[in-house]
Amino acid sequence: MSNKGMLAAAVAASLWIGAGTAAAQTAPCELHLWPAERMVSMTSGLLGGGLLDAALHGKKDARNKAQLASALDSPTQLDSLQSLDLKALLSLPADTQIVHHEQPLERHSMNKVKTRRSDSKAACYSELIVADVFYQKAAIYGRSLRTLFMVRDFGADDKIDFEYKAWGGNGLKLFPPKEGEDAIAALDELGVVFKKNFEEFANNERKAVAARGKVAAK
């Protein structure tokens, strides 16, 4: 090969490597979503909980749990979250790609696994995990739906750079439906409140990120 040919090949190789590096640097971020595996219903009366309360309300809680699982199954949880502006709510880059996983993570492994829960190698990578969906009726505070969410941000490796886990919770007026009441409206209410819970969680998550930034800047 002539000197000119060798030079041209070297320039071409350099341009190819440079283009590859630039592409890697501008690759979009990824947010991976997982729905909750566990549904919980707890009804407590004036006794304030405990084994006796559990025995008195066992059948009612079993029925409520089944309705929760029906109204907020895995696809519905994912659809509800993706109907929100997750990028804005979690302060993510505008070109972030949303990747959903239909199979819930095992609840007992939620806090134990500290590495990425997907096979993605993206340099900009985060996870949003729904940990628990919890219906509660208390004699004093009334009915509510609480949801435990977890956000984990990773760097280019498998190390967690930031993790935030907290509950979002709002009151219920229609669920669970009594005999003769509109059951569809009651189940639809769960979806609406589920989204409100995430918006509450995301608002607190942004505050936690901002506070973390202030501490790091000192």
Side-chain angles (χ1 to χ4, degrees):
M1 181 182 293
S2 66
N3 289 339
K4 288 184 178 180
M6 294 176 63
L7 179 60
V11 171
S14 176
L15 290 174
W16 184 84
I17 294 173
T21 302
Q25 292 175 343
T26 59
C29 297
E30 294 180 4
L31 172 66
H32 288 248
L33 311 181
W34 281 271
E37 173 192 46
R38 187 165 69 178
M39 303 280 173
V40 179
S41 174
M42 180 181 295
T43 302
S44 59
L46 296 176
L47 297 175
L51 294 177
L52 182 55
D53 238 349
L56 290 173
H57 302 292
K59 290 184 179 180
K60 181 183 297 184
D61 282 326
R63 183 172 63 250
N64 292 343
K65 182 178 178 181
Q67 291 180 320
L68 279 175
S70 174
L72 290 173
D73 59 8
S74 295
T76 302
Q77 291 178 51
L78 294 172
D79 288 344
S80 295
L81 290 174
Q82 291 178 103
S83 72
L84 300 172
D85 190 348
L86 295 177
K87 301 171 189 178
L89 288 169
L90 295 175
S91 300
L92 300 174
D95 63 346
T96 299
Q97 293 183 349
I98 309 297
V99 182
H100 69 265
H101 301 263
E102 296 182 0
Q103 184 64 35
L105 300 174
E106 293 182 351
R107 184 60 180 86
H108 75 274
S109 70
M110 200 76 64
N111 298 312
K112 295 179 180 179
V113 177
K114 299 299 183 182
T115 54
R116 298 186 184 202
R117 301 306 297 257
S118 81
D119 295 331
S120 173
K121 302 300 181 184
C124 179
Y125 174 91
S126 57
E127 299 176 345
L128 169 57
I129 301 169
V130 187
D132 286 319
V133 178
F134 178 37
Y135 165 77
Q136 183 177 26
K137 180 180 179 181
I140 298 176
Y141 301 106
R143 296 172 288 176
S144 63
L145 181 73
R146 302 179 64 210
T147 317
L148 181 61
F149 299 98
M150 177 190 295
V151 163
R152 309 197 308 171
D153 291 331
F154 291 79
D157 54 13
D158 255 354
K159 182 180 178 181
I160 298 174
D161 290 340
F162 174 73
E163 179 178 284
Y164 182 76
K165 182 172 68 172
W167 290 91
N170 285 275
L172 295 167
K173 295 181 179 180
L174 304 177
F175 183 88
K178 297 179 181 178
E179 186 176 351
E181 294 181 343
D182 190 340
I184 295 178
L187 297 179
D188 287 345
E189 181 186 41
L190 291 173
V192 172
V193 175
F194 178 83
K195 289 191 281 190
K196 286 184 179 179
N197 288 354
F198 178 75
E199 290 171 338
E200 179 184 313
F201 163 84
N203 182 52
N204 291 329
E205 189 266 351
R206 291 195 304 273
K207 293 177 181 179
V209 171
R212 179 171 175 262
K214 290 180 181 179
V215 171
K218 291 182 180 180

